[in-house]
Amino acid sequence: MVVHELSRTEARRIAVRAQLLDGSRPAGLLDVVRGLTLLQIDPTAAIAPNADLVAWSRLGASYTPAMLTAALADRSLLELRAMIRPSEDLALYRDEMARWPGYGELPSWRVYHRDWVRANDACRLDVLDRLRSAGPLPSRDIPDTCAVPWKSTGWTNNRNVTQMLEFMVGRGEVAVAGRRGGDRLWDLAARVYPDDPVVPVDAALRIRDERRLRALGIARSKAQELPVEPADVGEAGEPAVVEGVKGTWRVDPSQLGRPFSGRAALLSPFDRLIHDRKRAVELLEFDYQLEMYKPAAKRRWGYFALPILYGDRLVGKLDAAADRKAGVLRVHAIHEDVPFTDDMTAAVAGEIKELAAWLELDLVSSR
């Protein structure tokens, strides 16, 4: 097979266009989620919740959060492990769920999960009975009957019901049926997931790799393991090398040779264009860290700085915060990774005004 030789500019444009961030906007929210394969849920809302911010970056002023609420309510979109996915994609996960905690030789952490669920099988059955008779329910309304507490060095320690529900999602037994405020509502998966034919796991993994590559445009065949959604794409697509970057990539052949038109965009810190920080440095030459967990004095760009896209380049970060009590979007700083031209300055300023208008906040600059 021919190995495609790409310049960095070509690789960047493939990545930007695949993420629906070029000059041609998608038609609607379902097109966005199907194109990206997912919207990540994150509760941080220094500007707006991540799923809404990602959708706005693609759709602009035509998008409202009510659209996402409606799509989740009619279940054209579904929540699975803190990701919002097209409902039809659940068929690509069901066979893997049936094989939980995995097949073949299991790593020690999967063995621990399996053994903990087995030790608390009576609790698992209690959860199913409670949801069957009274679901959907928030986790606080489900009694804890676990015989063996969940042990963790993190925030999940002794949160037995929550942890059991997460494992039962992995097993395909329960699902998030909706939300009440910030609380997830749990129900039997059979009452939530569509009754589509299940795709066998080997075929499903191949299709998921292909869709992930379509959404990324260009990615590594193998990469560091990430929770929930991988960053690599296996053998999907075709091999490619990128000028000035070590190693071989996989590229979506449908992206090759296409014309590119760009625009300005403000991105969520969790946006999939830059979510894989190593890929962002290698391909996009963009250095970024989310600094909300750093002491203020050690932040370079701000608590929740938004990456700034201009054309096919990530050119800076916007340090801003939505002060909803005061009714303003406060712009603290615009960090320029490269000197902005007059056109760049005007385009970025326009996006900031659009963001404030979408948030229904007045724009205030403290720069």
Side-chain angles (χ1 to χ4, degrees):
M1 182 179 291
V2 174
V3 178
H4 301 283
E5 297 181 1
L6 305 174
S7 68
R8 258 218 177 96
T9 297
E10 290 171 321
R12 284 198 308 268
R13 290 179 173 181
I14 286 170
V16 170
R17 187 170 50 236
Q19 276 288 295
L20 310 179
L21 286 164
D22 63 340
S24 176
R25 290 187 186 269
L29 178 61
L30 287 181
D31 293 312
V32 169
V33 184
R34 286 170 177 151
L36 302 181
T37 74
L38 59 84
L39 292 177
Q40 180 178 339
I41 298 171
D42 189 272
T44 308
I47 299 291
N50 177 69
D52 291 321
L53 192 52
V54 169
W56 172 79
S57 293
R58 275 71 182 176
L59 295 170
S62 67
Y63 172 74
T64 66
M67 294 176 179
L68 180 56
T69 301
L72 290 168
D74 68 22
R75 293 185 179 159
S76 53
L77 298 177
L78 290 172
E79 181 177 337
L80 175 65
R81 298 188 66 196
M83 302 289 182
I84 295 168
R85 300 184 184 273
S87 61
E88 62 266 23
D89 281 8
L90 267 293
L92 301 174
Y93 295 85
R94 299 302 298 275
D95 194 27
E96 187 176 42
M97 292 173 177
R99 298 165 184 258
W100 187 93
Y103 45 93
E105 185 175 354
L106 300 176
S108 58
W109 61 272
R110 287 192 182 272
V111 171
Y112 177 67
H113 293 176
R114 179 200 65 195
D115 291 348
W116 185 81
V117 171
R118 284 179 177 175
N120 289 295
D121 196 55
C123 176
R124 183 182 67 84
L125 295 174
D126 286 345
V127 171
L128 290 173
D129 286 343
R130 180 62 62 109
L131 293 179
R132 189 176 294 112
S133 61
L137 294 171
S139 59
R140 64 174 176 271
D141 289 351
I142 301 173
D144 180 2
T145 61
C146 287
V148 179
W150 173 254
K151 299 296 183 184
S152 169
T153 57
W155 71 274
T156 60
N157 187 60
N158 210 35
R159 296 172 66 95
N160 302 324
V161 171
T162 300
Q163 196 60 42
M164 179 61 76
L165 287 165
E166 296 290 352
F167 289 143
M168 293 174 74
V169 168
R171 292 166 61 95
E173 295 175 314
V174 305
V176 177
R179 287 188 177 244
R180 183 183 298 150
D183 292 334
R184 291 176 290 182
L185 299 177
W186 301 91
D187 205 348
L188 301 179
R191 297 202 290 231
V192 176
Y193 295 158
D195 190 23
D196 295 334
V198 173
V199 180
V201 66
D202 289 341
L205 291 172
R206 184 178 65 253
I207 293 169
R208 282 154 54 182
D209 283 345
E210 290 168 353
R211 292 190 183 179
R212 191 178 311 112
L213 179 59
R214 182 192 66 197
L216 294 172
I218 182 169
R220 294 290 191 185
S221 176
K222 294 182 180 180
Q224 180 181 0
E225 184 175 355
L226 297 175
V228 184
E229 182 71 7
D232 51 40
V233 295
E235 296 306 305
E238 297 177 359
V241 292
V242 178
E243 180 184 8
V245 183
K246 294 181 180 179
T248 303
W249 297 78
R250 305 295 296 188
V251 65
D252 177 1
S254 71
Q255 291 282 358
L256 296 170
R258 291 175 56 185
F260 179 85
S261 64
R263 62 182 177 90
L266 303 174
L267 308 183
S268 164
F270 303 104
D271 198 287
R272 288 286 143 173
L273 182 64
I274 50 92
H275 190 270
D276 180 348
R277 308 300 194 217
K278 186 172 186 290
R279 174 178 177 267
V281 170
E282 290 179 320
L283 275 191
L284 309 174
E285 300 176 278
F286 186 64
D287 179 22
Y288 182 82
Q289 290 181 340
L290 179 59
E291 298 181 314
M292 59 190 290
Y293 301 111
K294 288 185 176 182
K298 294 186 177 181
R299 294 175 189 149
R300 290 179 289 173
W301 307 306
Y303 177 83
F304 197 74
L306 306 187
I308 300 172
L309 176 71
Y310 182 79
D312 63 9
R313 297 298 303 267
L314 287 152
V315 296
K317 294 94 175 171
L318 169 67
D319 180 9
D323 185 343
R324 292 173 178 83
K325 187 174 181 180
V328 299
L329 175 67
R330 299 189 188 278
V331 174
H332 303 302
I334 297 174
H335 301 280
E336 300 180 10
D337 288 10
V338 298
F340 282 16
T341 65
D342 290 345
D343 287 345
M344 291 167 66
T345 299
V348 172
E351 283 299 299
I352 296 171
K353 289 178 182 177
E354 290 288 336
L355 176 60
W358 175 66
L359 294 169
E360 298 182 340
L361 299 174
D362 293 330
L363 183 59
V364 174
S365 176
S366 57
R367 295 188 296 142

